[in-house]
Amino acid sequence: MRREFDRLREGPFDLLVVGGGIYGAWTACDAALRGLRVALVERTDWAAGTSSASSKLFHGGLRYLERFQLGFVRTSLRERRLLLDLAPHQVRPLEFHLPVYRGDRPGPMLLGLGVGLYRLLGGRDGGGRARLAREEALAATGFLRPDGLRGALRYRDALADDARFTLEVADAAQRAGAVTVNHAEALGLLRGGGRVRGAVVRDAGGGATVEVVAAATATCTGAWTVDLLRGVDGLAGTLRRSKGTHLVLPALGLPHALLLRAPRDGRVFFLIPWYGRTLVGTTDTPFDGDPDAARPTAEDAGYLLEAANRFRADGAWRAEDVIARFAGVRVLQDDGAGTSYETTREFAIREPLPGLLVPVGGKLTSARADAARLVDRVMRELGRPAGACPTAARPLPWRPEGSFGPWLSRAVAAGMEHGLDPEAAACAARRHGARVGEIHRLVAGRPALAARAHPDLPFCRAEIVQAAAAEMVRTLDDLLRRRVPLAILARPDRAWMEPAAALAGETLGWDAARRETEIRALGSLFEPPP
Ligand SMILES: Cc1cc2nc3c(=O)[nH]c(=O)nc-3n(C[C@H](O)[C@H](O)[C@H](O)COP(=O)(O)OP(=O)(O)OC[C@H]3O[C@@H](n4cnc5c(N)ncnc54)[C@H](O)[C@@H]3O)c2cc1C
């Protein structure tokens, strides 16, 4: 991937997309594939906002059935199915167990119907029997609190690395011809003739500014939309934001995830196996501050630990067991619901000014389909035929050709021949897909790169070198939170941070002083919560 800030001067563009989360990436990709001249600018890094702070699920959202949002769930499940095909290296099936206890509300009958309907809507679920008897549920999840347990319900969804997925979609946009630039902030909209005509964009690296002129502008700025468009009529008071926190805890040794209900308020939360750790989340609290300042609080952590520990019979997690934590902010349509948890996640497009399109709401899962609707509107705005949506039938660029299962086995075997341990070989294959040969070549040339970047985590050092060389990395934060997410999965420790900075520095030309600055900047992210 190339970062070419100066190409932003090549306007006028047909479409300027502001914001490089999953919505911006899919929008730019779809529009470029439909033949538009597209520029995509991201203030910090690809997926630096909410798109790296999600629960990592490609799912319909079983809980939305409780609110009878059938269409919403069906769309997401259709997308889940599609992306399992278009990006099987990134999006993988994950089984969920929903333990059922005496006295639960909704009761077992309704829950069973809900899971049955969910599996039906999902089609091709392949998740085996829907009901597990009590003893089966206990055997499958050894630590479950047994008293009151009646059994478990079972269904399938899918899991990915959200930041990596977004990076691949941004790469797809670039390959389709879009000019894609991270660390480039839109400072304000350009206006003329009663229309929005693009934006003023500043290069975070050199500080240069450029007027990026475009016939249409889409602000895919998620939680930052409220600030970027403050003062634009028709938006104020129609959006609401909520924050969600996840905790990273040690592995529970489960191949499946759990869907549980917090005893304190009945909200649904998950225990999800991710890169050898357990993600516990999420909270859902109203948020009205600066999204850059959104941090997990001690209260968030207390809520999640209390909720998770209610289901454990093998000893409770304590605050000091928390390895890491992260928070993201959603922007939602304000539908007047009593709580942010109940507020609709449905996607909508606002057009508060001619030439300006503002997406609101949505999900990681449905972002491709939602972006297609957005690009349809752009085509109409430009007076061009919308045509068929190109992303619906196009594998992501790193998708290996042919049948995925056999390819994965071959790629893992090849990685092991080059000296990677089996877990690291599988991890590299999934994360790099068809490009995994580049990791193998790096290791062949320098065998020390086969070692893990952190002893507990499955990323080899070659992944760090590859990211620095070819994945538009500018800072250690880009590298270690989104390309190779050590900083999300491990406690801060110079023992792994310094070698990682040194490896990246070889490619990025960082001297000792710069490496130290980068390590300190990254370290500040680990400060204890307020
Ligand atoms: C806690 C939580 C858990 C979730 N879990 C799931 C899940 O498991 N599955 C699922 O499907 N969905 C999930 N979601 C929803 C999903 O994460 C979001 O819908 C999605 O990530 C939003 O993407 P986005 O591109 O709109 O926003 P973002 O990812 O936030 O992207 C907006 C980008 O705009 C950039 N930006 C802002 N201002 C400017 C500017 N002036 N110039 C340039 N760039 C700018 C930001 O830096 C940011 O990168 C979850 C959401 C939350 C909060």
Side-chain angles (χ1 to χ4, degrees):
M1 297 174 76
R2 296 172 314 279
R3 180 181 184 276
E4 296 169 310
F5 183 85
D6 284 339
R7 288 196 57 206
L8 292 174
R9 298 178 208 280
E10 291 174 5
F13 292 93
D14 296 316
L15 174 65
L16 168 64
V17 182
V18 181
I22 192 61
Y23 274 86
W26 272 126
T27 302
C29 177
D30 184 321
L33 287 169
R34 291 197 216 190
L36 299 189
R37 295 197 69 223
V38 180
L40 166 64
V41 295
E42 161 55 45
R43 191 178 62 118
T44 49
D45 185 30
W46 310 119
T50 311
S51 298
S52 60
S54 80
S55 302
K56 331 287 181 200
L57 299 177
F58 281 75
H59 66 158
L62 186 58
R63 80 175 179 90
Y64 303 119
L65 286 183
E66 271 175 28
R67 297 176 60 79
F68 306 107
Q69 295 177 312
L70 231 69
F72 180 62
V73 174
R74 193 188 294 114
T75 305
S76 296
L77 288 175
R78 198 183 54 222
E79 284 301 301
R80 181 192 74 183
R81 200 162 53 239
L82 186 69
L83 291 163
L84 280 163
D85 279 342
L86 299 181
H89 54 301
Q90 294 253 18
V91 184
R92 66 165 93 180
L94 177 66
E95 185 168 302
F96 279 74
H97 291 194
L98 191 173
V100 181
Y101 284 88
R102 206 168 300 126
D104 273 355
R105 287 284 164 270
M109 174 95 102
L110 217 54
L111 278 179
L113 281 174
V115 169
L117 177 61
Y118 191 77
R119 291 172 58 124
L120 204 68
L121 289 172
R124 260 198 351 178
D125 176 296
R129 260 184 316 124
R131 283 174 194 278
L132 295 181
R134 181 176 187 280
E135 295 314 317
E136 291 174 307
L138 284 171
T141 308
F143 60 79
L144 266 189
R145 178 170 58 83
D147 49 303
L149 183 71
R150 303 172 66 138
L153 295 162
R154 189 161 68 160
Y155 65 95
R156 271 202 182 176
D157 262 321
L159 179 73
D161 176 334
D162 47 4
R164 192 130 194 101
F165 184 83
T166 303
L167 182 77
E168 185 169 352
V169 180
D171 186 22
Q174 185 170 90
R175 288 168 190 238
V179 176
T180 57
V181 189
N182 60 353
H183 296 281
E185 177 174 11
L187 299 176
L189 299 175
L190 289 171
R191 300 193 195 203
R195 294 180 61 81
V196 170
R197 299 201 171 276
V200 177
V201 175
R202 182 175 56 199
D203 183 352
T209 57
V210 55
E211 291 196 349
V212 182
V213 178
T217 300
T219 52
C220 299
T221 41
W224 287 264
T225 303
V226 175
D227 304 300
L228 183 67
L229 301 183
R230 201 172 291 284
V232 171
D233 286 347
L235 279 178
T238 66
L239 310 179
R240 73 194 280 182
R241 293 184 286 186
S242 82
K243 188 189 81 173
T245 289
H246 287 84
L247 305 181
V248 179
L249 282 147
L252 286 167
L254 292 183
H256 57 267
L258 292 174
L259 181 149
L260 304 167
R261 228 173 248 279
R264 204 194 287 182
D265 56 8
R267 288 187 47 252
V268 159
F269 72 101
F270 300 108
L271 264 55
I272 300 168
W274 199 62
Y275 287 133
R277 305 285 201 214
T278 305
L279 292 185
V280 181
T282 169
T283 58
D284 195 328
T285 46
F287 183 85
D288 205 19
D290 171 4
D292 286 324
R295 295 278 184 281
T297 61
E299 196 185 331
D300 295 338
Y303 170 93
L304 290 171
L305 286 177
E306 175 196 303
N309 285 336
R310 279 283 288 145
F311 294 92
R312 295 192 56 188
D314 63 336
W317 275 318
R318 295 154 305 153
E320 50 273 32
D321 295 323
V322 176
I323 297 167
R325 56 196 99 206
F326 57 87
V329 181
R330 312 169 177 84
V331 64
L332 306 169
Q333 302 180 64
D334 193 346
D335 60 356
T339 64
S340 50
Y341 180 67
E342 291 164 326
T343 305
T344 181
R345 268 58 176 161
E346 298 248 14
F347 176 74
I349 301 167
R350 304 274 169 78
E351 293 188 57
L353 293 169
L356 177 66
L357 295 111
V358 182
V360 181
K363 289 167 67 180
L364 180 69
T365 311
S366 58
R368 189 210 61 80
D370 297 337
R373 278 173 56 194
L374 187 61
V375 178
D376 285 348
R377 288 278 270 276
V378 171
M379 300 303 272
R380 206 161 66 208
E381 176 88 17
L382 300 179
R384 302 208 201 168
C389 164
T391 56
R394 200 180 176 95
L396 284 191
W398 312 344
R399 191 210 192 286
E401 279 182 19
S403 184
F404 181 67
W407 176 88
L408 183 63
S409 306
R410 287 195 303 277
V412 173
M416 288 167 64
E417 273 167 32
H418 283 89
L420 299 183
D421 66 69
E423 219 189 328
C427 181
R430 284 197 168 271
R431 288 164 43 76
H432 295 264
R435 305 181 321 165
V436 73
E438 291 165 32
I439 298 290
H440 300 163
R441 270 190 292 283
L442 281 170
V443 174
R446 193 171 159 189
L449 296 181
R452 289 181 171 217
H454 184 287
D456 300 343
L457 297 166
F459 315 108
C460 64
R461 290 184 176 161
E463 285 206 57
I464 291 189
V465 175
Q466 172 66 10
E471 294 181 351
M472 251 197 226
V473 166
R474 306 264 295 178
T475 68
L476 199 61
D477 184 69
D478 297 348
L479 179 71
L480 296 181
R481 286 223 294 169
R482 290 170 294 277
R483 301 302 181 280
V484 188
L486 294 166
I488 292 180
L489 295 162
R491 294 179 200 280
D493 189 340
R494 284 189 168 260
W496 61 262
M497 291 162 97
E498 279 177 6
L503 277 177
E506 287 174 15
T507 307
L508 297 170
W510 291 347
D511 60 15
R514 172 73 189 269
R515 291 200 301 273
E516 187 55 30
T517 309
E518 293 288 336
I519 289 173
R520 282 174 189 270
L522 186 66
S524 70
L525 296 166
F526 294 100
E527 280 162 11

mmCIF file of all heavy atoms in Angstrom, residues 14 37 70 81 196 269 378 385 395 408 429 431 472 480 510 518:
data_model
loop_
_atom_site.group_PDB
_atom_site.id
_atom_site.type_symbol
_atom_site.label_atom_id
_atom_site.label_comp_id
_atom_site.label_asym_id
_atom_site.label_seq_id
_atom_site.Cartn_x
_atom_site.Cartn_y
_atom_site.Cartn_z
ATOM 1 N N ASP A 14 -14.497 12.918 -8.156
ATOM 2 C CA ASP A 14 -15.958 12.745 -8.140
ATOM 3 C C ASP A 14 -16.442 12.653 -6.694
ATOM 4 O O ASP A 14 -17.497 13.165 -6.348
ATOM 5 C CB ASP A 14 -16.357 11.453 -8.874
ATOM 6 C CG ASP A 14 -15.995 11.509 -10.343
ATOM 7 O OD1 ASP A 14 -16.246 12.555 -10.971
ATOM 8 O OD2 ASP A 14 -15.443 10.510 -10.863
ATOM 9 N N ARG A 37 -13.696 8.807 -9.726
ATOM 10 C CA ARG A 37 -12.385 9.273 -9.228
ATOM 11 C C ARG A 37 -12.574 9.574 -7.748
ATOM 12 O O ARG A 37 -13.352 10.455 -7.373
ATOM 13 C CB ARG A 37 -11.949 10.536 -9.958
ATOM 14 C CG ARG A 37 -11.694 10.313 -11.446
ATOM 15 C CD ARG A 37 -10.879 11.465 -12.028
ATOM 16 N NE ARG A 37 -9.523 11.442 -11.505
ATOM 17 C CZ ARG A 37 -8.861 12.526 -11.092
ATOM 18 N NH1 ARG A 37 -9.438 13.709 -11.102
ATOM 19 N NH2 ARG A 37 -7.611 12.422 -10.651
ATOM 20 N N LEU A 70 -36.268 -7.680 12.480
ATOM 21 C CA LEU A 70 -36.020 -8.837 11.619
ATOM 22 C C LEU A 70 -35.228 -8.483 10.366
ATOM 23 O O LEU A 70 -34.287 -9.187 9.986
ATOM 24 C CB LEU A 70 -37.371 -9.434 11.216
ATOM 25 C CG LEU A 70 -37.515 -10.916 11.447
ATOM 26 C CD1 LEU A 70 -37.550 -11.224 12.919
ATOM 27 C CD2 LEU A 70 -38.790 -11.419 10.772
ATOM 28 N N ARG A 81 -22.708 -14.110 5.674
ATOM 29 C CA ARG A 81 -22.537 -15.251 4.760
ATOM 30 C C ARG A 81 -21.650 -14.853 3.572
ATOM 31 O O ARG A 81 -20.745 -15.568 3.175
ATOM 32 C CB ARG A 81 -23.913 -15.716 4.285
ATOM 33 C CG ARG A 81 -23.938 -17.111 3.750
ATOM 34 C CD ARG A 81 -25.342 -17.683 3.698
ATOM 35 N NE ARG A 81 -26.300 -16.864 3.002
ATOM 36 C CZ ARG A 81 -27.427 -16.377 3.536
ATOM 37 N NH1 ARG A 81 -27.727 -16.647 4.780
ATOM 38 N NH2 ARG A 81 -28.261 -15.637 2.839
ATOM 39 N N VAL A 196 -21.479 21.732 -1.084
ATOM 40 C CA VAL A 196 -20.207 21.317 -0.512
ATOM 41 C C VAL A 196 -19.332 20.843 -1.671
ATOM 42 O O VAL A 196 -19.788 20.070 -2.521
ATOM 43 C CB VAL A 196 -20.414 20.205 0.535
ATOM 44 C CG1 VAL A 196 -19.089 19.592 0.960
ATOM 45 C CG2 VAL A 196 -21.149 20.772 1.751
ATOM 46 N N PHE A 269 -23.854 -9.594 26.928
ATOM 47 C CA PHE A 269 -22.420 -9.366 26.681
ATOM 48 C C PHE A 269 -21.787 -10.685 26.255
ATOM 49 O O PHE A 269 -22.431 -11.744 26.320
ATOM 50 C CB PHE A 269 -21.727 -8.755 27.919
ATOM 51 C CG PHE A 269 -21.556 -9.719 29.057
ATOM 52 C CD1 PHE A 269 -20.329 -10.332 29.298
ATOM 53 C CD2 PHE A 269 -22.618 -10.026 29.888
ATOM 54 C CE1 PHE A 269 -20.165 -11.218 30.344
ATOM 55 C CE2 PHE A 269 -22.467 -10.929 30.933
ATOM 56 C CZ PHE A 269 -21.238 -11.520 31.161
ATOM 57 N N VAL A 378 -24.586 8.629 -4.213
ATOM 58 C CA VAL A 378 -23.563 9.484 -4.827
ATOM 59 C C VAL A 378 -23.753 9.475 -6.342
ATOM 60 O O VAL A 378 -23.716 10.528 -6.993
ATOM 61 C CB VAL A 378 -22.142 8.986 -4.466
ATOM 62 C CG1 VAL A 378 -21.076 9.725 -5.277
ATOM 63 C CG2 VAL A 378 -21.871 9.128 -2.974
ATOM 64 N N PRO A 385 -25.744 6.638 -13.921
ATOM 65 C CA PRO A 385 -26.466 5.404 -13.567
ATOM 66 C C PRO A 385 -25.723 4.672 -12.447
ATOM 67 O O PRO A 385 -24.490 4.580 -12.482
ATOM 68 C CB PRO A 385 -26.453 4.583 -14.854
ATOM 69 C CG PRO A 385 -25.417 5.203 -15.732
ATOM 70 C CD PRO A 385 -25.198 6.614 -15.277
ATOM 71 N N PRO A 395 -14.131 -10.946 -4.447
ATOM 72 C CA PRO A 395 -13.337 -11.348 -3.279
ATOM 73 C C PRO A 395 -12.402 -10.226 -2.853
ATOM 74 O O PRO A 395 -11.940 -9.451 -3.692
ATOM 75 C CB PRO A 395 -12.527 -12.545 -3.786
ATOM 76 C CG PRO A 395 -13.237 -13.013 -4.999
ATOM 77 C CD PRO A 395 -13.922 -11.834 -5.598
ATOM 78 N N LEU A 408 -5.385 -23.254 3.282
ATOM 79 C CA LEU A 408 -4.891 -22.940 4.631
ATOM 80 C C LEU A 408 -3.923 -24.029 5.110
ATOM 81 O O LEU A 408 -2.846 -23.728 5.643
ATOM 82 C CB LEU A 408 -6.073 -22.785 5.602
ATOM 83 C CG LEU A 408 -5.705 -22.391 7.024
ATOM 84 C CD1 LEU A 408 -5.034 -21.022 7.070
ATOM 85 C CD2 LEU A 408 -6.954 -22.360 7.932
ATOM 86 N N ALA A 429 -1.038 -16.972 7.992
ATOM 87 C CA ALA A 429 -1.790 -17.337 6.788
ATOM 88 C C ALA A 429 -3.136 -16.613 6.762
ATOM 89 O O ALA A 429 -3.554 -16.058 5.741
ATOM 90 C CB ALA A 429 -1.996 -18.848 6.747
ATOM 91 N N ARG A 431 -4.013 -13.875 8.409
ATOM 92 C CA ARG A 431 -3.913 -12.415 8.439
ATOM 93 C C ARG A 431 -3.397 -11.849 7.116
ATOM 94 O O ARG A 431 -3.692 -10.725 6.753
ATOM 95 C CB ARG A 431 -3.017 -11.988 9.589
ATOM 96 C CG ARG A 431 -3.676 -12.182 10.954
ATOM 97 C CD ARG A 431 -2.698 -12.132 12.109
ATOM 98 N NE ARG A 431 -1.737 -11.083 11.990
ATOM 99 C CZ ARG A 431 -1.968 -9.786 12.224
ATOM 100 N NH1 ARG A 431 -3.162 -9.412 12.608
ATOM 101 N NH2 ARG A 431 -1.029 -8.900 12.075
ATOM 102 N N MET A 472 1.549 0.845 5.051
ATOM 103 C CA MET A 472 1.287 2.266 5.326
ATOM 104 C C MET A 472 1.425 2.642 6.803
ATOM 105 O O MET A 472 0.638 3.422 7.325
ATOM 106 C CB MET A 472 -0.117 2.634 4.857
ATOM 107 C CG MET A 472 -0.143 3.521 3.640
ATOM 108 S SD MET A 472 -1.762 4.298 3.479
ATOM 109 C CE MET A 472 -2.060 4.033 1.786
ATOM 110 N N LEU A 480 1.495 -1.331 16.278
ATOM 111 C CA LEU A 480 1.279 -2.278 17.387
ATOM 112 C C LEU A 480 -0.141 -2.250 17.955
ATOM 113 O O LEU A 480 -0.448 -2.989 18.876
ATOM 114 C CB LEU A 480 2.301 -2.012 18.495
ATOM 115 C CG LEU A 480 3.757 -2.259 18.072
ATOM 116 C CD1 LEU A 480 4.705 -1.989 19.220
ATOM 117 C CD2 LEU A 480 3.950 -3.681 17.548
ATOM 118 N N TRP A 510 13.869 4.968 11.635
ATOM 119 C CA TRP A 510 13.789 5.607 12.952
ATOM 120 C C TRP A 510 15.129 5.470 13.672
ATOM 121 O O TRP A 510 15.631 4.346 13.840
ATOM 122 C CB TRP A 510 12.719 4.932 13.825
ATOM 123 C CG TRP A 510 11.315 5.154 13.364
ATOM 124 C CD1 TRP A 510 10.875 6.064 12.441
ATOM 125 C CD2 TRP A 510 10.150 4.429 13.798
ATOM 126 N NE1 TRP A 510 9.515 5.961 12.274
ATOM 127 C CE2 TRP A 510 9.038 4.960 13.089
ATOM 128 C CE3 TRP A 510 9.933 3.394 14.691
ATOM 129 C CZ2 TRP A 510 7.737 4.493 13.276
ATOM 130 C CZ3 TRP A 510 8.639 2.923 14.873
ATOM 131 C CH2 TRP A 510 7.553 3.474 14.178
ATOM 132 N N GLU A 518 8.417 7.132 20.065
ATOM 133 C CA GLU A 518 7.298 6.265 19.664
ATOM 134 C C GLU A 518 6.890 5.327 20.812
ATOM 135 O O GLU A 518 5.704 5.111 21.057
ATOM 136 C CB GLU A 518 7.685 5.438 18.428
ATOM 137 C CG GLU A 518 7.897 6.248 17.165
ATOM 138 C CD GLU A 518 6.594 6.790 16.585
ATOM 139 O OE1 GLU A 518 5.529 6.210 16.846
ATOM 140 O OE2 GLU A 518 6.653 7.822 15.875
#
